[in-house]
Amino acid sequence: MSTEEVAKKVVELTNKQAWYEALDTLYADDVVSVEAYSMGGGSPETHGKEGVRGKIDWWVNGMEVHSFDAHGPFVGHDRFVVQYDADVSDKKTNERRKLSEVGVYTVKDGKIVREEFLPRVD
Amino acid sequence: MSTEEVAKKVVELTNKQAWYEALDTLYADDVVSVEAYSMGGGSPETHGKEGVRGKIDWWVNGMEVHSFDAHGPFVGHDRFVVQYDADVSDKKTNERRKLSEVGVYTVKDGKIVREEFLPRVD
C-alpha cells in the first residue's frame, strides 16, 4: 500500500475503533510507538507490534470511549498525520476528559514503522 | 527555547503572517524544508535558511492571502505539529483556493532544523 492508502485506512479503522484490525494489517513487526509522556517513569517508547498490542489492551480495558474522531489524513512522501479528538472516561475513576492530539506516522514498504503521539498544548 | 515555546511562537507568528520574523528568530541556518510535491520537477527539499527565505519571497509575491489560520500546536519531545487552513488567491491567475495542511517540525538546540508540509488528502 502507498503512504496515502495506509493513511486512509488508519482514519477509517480508527473511526470504527477497530484498533486490533489496524495493528494486524497496517503495522510492521518492529514498529516504534512514542508517547509524549511516559507512564510510571518508564520509557515513552514502545518497541514492537506486541508492545503496541499491550497499549491497545490497556486502552480498551481502561477507557470507556464516548466518541473518537479522526480528522485527515495529511500526507507527504513516507509520512502522514491524523488528528484525533476523543471524549473518554477512565473506567476506574469515572473521570471524564477530552483528548486532542495528532499521530505522526512513518511508512516503510507499505507498513507503519513509527508512530508518535503529540497532545495539543494550547 | 523549549520545543513547546518554539511551537507556540510559530502559531503566534503565522497567525500574524510574520513569515520573515519566524524565519529569522526560530530557524537553524541548516534547516531542511520539505514540500509534499516539488514545483517544476525540482527537489521537494529546500536546504538552508536562505532557501526558505526564497520560499517565503515566492509566497508573499505570488499570493494574496484572504485568511491564514494556525491551529495547535501539538507537542512531544523534539517534534511539534501545527495545522493550517488558508484561503488564498494566486496574484497572476486570480485563481482562489482553500489550503489545508499540517507542518511537522523538528527542533534541535531551540531552533527548527526540519519542517515538512503535508496537505490534507481526504
Side-chain angles (χ1 to χ4, degrees):
Chain A
M1 281 194 280
S2 69
T3 304
E4 182 169 332
E5 287 168 327
V6 174
K8 286 181 170 174
K9 267 288 178 192
V10 166
V11 170
E12 176 195 330
L13 293 176
T14 305
N15 277 328
K16 292 199 295 185
Q17 299 182 36
W19 318 111
Y20 293 108
E21 185 181 346
L23 180 71
D24 288 331
T25 57
L26 304 174
Y27 281 67
D29 288 341
D30 59 350
V31 62
V32 177
S33 176
V34 187
E35 298 289 334
Y37 307 103
S38 58
M39 283 173 298
S43 169
E45 290 197 4
T46 301
H47 290 255
K49 204 167 179 171
E50 294 317 304
V52 176
R53 194 180 305 278
K55 289 176 71 170
I56 299 174
D57 291 342
W58 174 87
W59 171 263
V60 169
N61 293 328
M63 293 292 167
E64 183 187 352
V65 179
H66 308 291
S67 67
F68 202 103
D69 298 310
H71 308 283
F74 303 84
V75 180
H77 308 289
D78 62 346
R79 196 94 72 195
F80 70 90
V81 167
V82 182
Q83 200 256 307
Y84 300 111
D85 287 306
D87 177 9
V88 300
S89 292
D90 187 302
K91 284 182 184 171
K92 266 191 197 152
T93 64
N94 280 323
E95 190 195 352
R96 184 166 178 166
R97 60 200 167 103
K98 290 188 191 293
L99 304 174
S100 181
E101 65 178 13
V102 295
V104 179
Y105 300 84
T106 308
V107 174
K108 192 178 167 189
D109 300 330
K111 297 283 184 183
I112 294 167
V113 293
R114 186 178 180 88
E115 61 177 8
E116 299 176 29
F117 295 104
L118 285 56
R120 186 162 182 151
V121 298
D122 61 338
Chain B
M1 281 195 279
S2 68
T3 304
E4 181 169 332
E5 287 168 327
V6 174
K8 286 181 170 174
K9 267 289 178 191
V10 166
V11 170
E12 176 195 329
L13 294 175
T14 305
N15 277 328
K16 291 197 297 187
Q17 299 182 35
W19 318 110
Y20 294 107
E21 186 182 345
L23 180 70
D24 288 331
T25 57
L26 304 174
Y27 281 66
D29 288 341
D30 59 351
V31 62
V32 177
S33 177
V34 188
E35 298 289 333
Y37 307 103
S38 59
M39 283 171 298
S43 169
E45 290 196 2
T46 301
H47 289 255
K49 203 166 180 172
E50 295 317 304
V52 176
R53 194 179 305 278
K55 288 175 73 169
I56 299 174
D57 290 342
W58 173 87
W59 172 263
V60 169
N61 292 331
M63 292 293 168
E64 182 186 355
V65 179
H66 307 292
S67 67
F68 202 102
D69 298 310
H71 308 284
F74 303 84
V75 180
H77 308 290
D78 62 345
R79 197 94 70 194
F80 69 91
V81 167
V82 181
Q83 199 255 306
Y84 300 111
D85 287 306
D87 177 10
V88 300
S89 291
D90 187 304
K91 285 181 183 173
K92 264 192 200 152
T93 64
N94 280 324
E95 189 196 353
R96 185 166 178 165
R97 60 198 168 106
K98 289 187 191 293
L99 305 174
S100 181
E101 65 178 12
V102 295
V104 178
Y105 299 85
T106 308
V107 174
K108 193 179 167 189
D109 300 330
K111 297 283 183 181
I112 295 166
V113 294
R114 187 178 180 89
E115 61 178 9
E116 298 176 28
F117 296 103
L118 286 58
R120 186 163 182 148
V121 297
D122 61 337

